[in-house]
Amino acid sequence: MTVKKFSDADVNEVKAGTKTTMQVLISSDEAPNFAMRRFEIQPGGGMPNHTNEVEHEQLVLSGRARVGIGDEVYEVEKDNVVFIPAGVAHWYESIGDEPFAFICSVPNLPDRIEILD
């Protein structure tokens, strides 16, 4: 078992996004079934429309965002949970004055990201 502070995890820029960083909190090397990551998107930043081969389970920690999932657009905020099925196009746009931060868990399976925009 691993216990650590997320503030100790390396912060890496997400190249496909704008004003977006990611921390790997629990890697696929540390857990057999799921990896856990923390994303932070600064106001005005976002992630382009893309697909992944694995599903995403997310918990919003702070801020607000518009999230496109398939043909639907949702406004999400702190304490919302979001499910993105495998293969479904999705995007993020941080709105408001504070960073949009969320935890994202994904299965430890092969994944390929395809940018659609």
Side-chain angles (χ1 to χ4, degrees), residues 17 31 49 102 110 112:
N49 198 25
F102 62 96
R112 187 172 68 85

Side-chain angles (χ1 to χ4, degrees), residues 31-100:
N33 299 306
F34 289 90
M36 180 185 289
R37 306 160 313 169
R38 180 181 182 274
F39 286 83
E40 188 169 286
I41 305 174
Q42 298 301 314
M47 288 289 295
N49 198 25
H50 65 284
T51 59
N52 295 81
E53 292 182 358
V54 297
E55 66 188 54
H56 299 8
E57 290 90 16
Q58 301 174 339
L59 169 64
V60 179
L61 301 173
S62 65
R64 296 183 311 117
R66 275 190 280 280
V67 179
I69 304 172
D71 294 330
E72 301 292 326
V73 177
Y74 304 90
E75 283 202 13
V76 300
E77 60 188 6
K78 183 180 181 198
D79 298 332
N80 285 156
V81 294
V82 178
F83 174 70
I84 300 171
V88 173
H90 55 288
W91 54 266
Y92 303 84
E93 178 186 334
S94 180
I95 57 177
D97 297 330
E98 67 176 303
F100 173 63

